[in-house]
Amino acid sequence: MEKEKEKYLKKAAEEIKETEMTSDYSADIGQLAAGIAHEIRNPLTTVKGFIQLLKPYLIEIGKEQYAEIAIEEINRANDMIYEFLNASKPAQNKKTEIDINKLIQEMNILFENEANIRNIHLTVSLSSRNPLFYGDLKQIKQVLINIIKNALEACEEAHATEGKVCLIVKTINQKTQIIIEDNGPGMTEETINQLFVPFYTTKEKGTGIGLSISRKIIEEHDGKIKVHSKYSHGTIFEIELPAILS
């Protein structure tokens, strides 16, 4: 009995020591991540300052929207860093009324230069009914940026000449559809079935979390996200959201 007791106590002591070491390691990693997050903020602040200085010149040539969108994206990045640093605090409800047509126009402006560099034709088709949506703007932007970026990368991979990415807004009954369509390489049935599984990726440097997070965000907004794709025939992402029609 004494030997069994001694053996048990020794094992318990080893487990406590391992737990302390893991806890210390996690704390060190947390401090390192927080330090990196703070360091990222500094260049973002500098870039934002220069954009604000350039804004009057952009207004003169009628391109002030470029500055506004750039500043919004820097603010979004800063907000993400802030949320990361305050992850232990309860999340606040940041839902507001979103103009879907305006949001898609902003996405077009945000990606048009990248599309041109990649030799991809980026087009937009908006809804005539001007649908509005009640949601978290930053989160919905995160979803769209992730999917549009994937579409551009897929088109560049598949086409030596010109790829095509279409951003479409449709209104059906009380639902709004945001459609991102590309003429990239498409996907196999196996890839489609695994697409929203966390950490699944077909990219060499991909993390496999973008689409799983995107689906979670859309579902939390009472929406749906669907994928239609055929190998070598392109891909269509459909995001369906409850609409407020103006």
Side-chain angles (χ1 to χ4, degrees):
M1 286 290 291
E2 286 296 321
K3 284 184 179 180
E4 286 295 323
K5 189 176 179 181
E6 185 180 339
K7 187 178 178 182
Y8 173 79
L9 290 172
K10 188 177 179 181
K11 185 179 178 182
E14 287 174 355
E15 287 175 354
I16 289 168
K17 189 175 180 181
E18 285 177 9
T19 303
E20 286 175 349
M21 289 173 66
T22 303
S23 179
D24 289 343
Y25 176 77
S26 298
D28 289 342
I29 292 296
Q31 287 177 355
L32 177 63
I36 292 169
H38 279 298
E39 287 302 313
I40 291 170
R41 273 181 165 176
N42 293 333
L44 285 177
T45 302
T46 303
V47 172
K48 184 178 177 180
F50 280 120
I51 291 170
Q52 287 170 330
L53 287 172
L54 289 170
K55 193 172 180 180
Y57 301 99
L58 291 171
I59 290 171
E60 285 180 13
I61 61 172
K63 298 290 185 180
E64 65 270 24
Q65 202 170 5
Y66 287 106
E68 290 168 2
I69 290 173
I71 290 169
E72 281 180 12
E73 288 304 303
I74 290 170
N75 289 339
R76 189 171 73 90
N78 274 321
D79 286 345
M80 289 171 70
I81 293 167
Y82 176 82
E83 286 167 11
F84 168 76
L85 293 174
N86 294 274
S88 61
K89 296 180 182 179
Q92 294 179 345
N93 189 332
K94 297 181 180 178
K95 291 187 176 181
T96 57
E97 198 171 82
I98 301 168
D99 184 328
I100 300 290
N101 280 346
K102 182 183 176 185
L103 177 58
I104 296 303
Q105 286 174 318
E106 288 179 2
M107 290 296 107
N108 182 45
I109 292 170
L110 186 63
F111 282 101
E112 63 180 353
N113 284 337
E114 185 176 344
N116 288 333
I117 290 167
R118 294 174 185 262
N119 197 30
I120 294 166
H121 187 50
L122 183 62
T123 60
V124 171
S125 176
L126 303 175
S127 170
S128 59
R129 299 181 69 185
N130 194 34
L132 305 174
F133 166 68
Y134 192 70
D136 187 316
L137 180 59
K138 290 184 178 67
Q139 287 187 349
I140 299 300
K141 274 188 175 183
Q142 181 182 345
V143 172
L144 293 174
I145 287 169
N146 183 52
I147 296 173
I148 295 168
K149 197 168 184 63
N150 285 348
L152 293 174
E153 289 173 356
C155 283
E156 185 181 41
E157 178 189 330
H159 296 278
T161 54
E162 186 182 79
K164 293 180 183 178
V165 174
C166 304
L167 311 179
I168 304 162
V169 181
K170 290 183 178 180
T171 308
I172 303 171
N173 298 324
Q174 294 297 314
K175 303 285 184 182
T176 292
Q177 284 185 339
I178 301 172
I179 300 167
I180 297 117
E181 183 175 353
D182 69 65
N183 67 340
M187 292 179 280
T188 63
E189 196 68 33
E190 180 186 356
T191 299
I192 294 170
N193 291 336
Q194 297 290 321
L195 205 56
F196 296 103
V197 175
F199 306 112
Y200 174 83
T201 181
T202 57
K203 297 179 185 178
E204 187 179 338
K205 295 182 180 179
T207 60
I209 60 172
L211 287 176
S212 61
I213 290 171
S214 295
R215 183 168 71 172
K216 185 173 184 293
I217 288 170
I218 295 301
E219 288 178 349
E220 285 176 351
H221 283 79
D222 298 321
K224 297 176 183 176
I225 183 167
K226 301 176 185 176
V227 184
H228 308 282
S229 187
K230 190 175 180 182
Y231 191 66
S232 77
H233 285 78
T235 300
I236 300 171
F237 274 85
E238 287 182 7
I239 300 168
E240 187 179 271
L241 296 166
I244 308 167
L245 301 178
S246 61

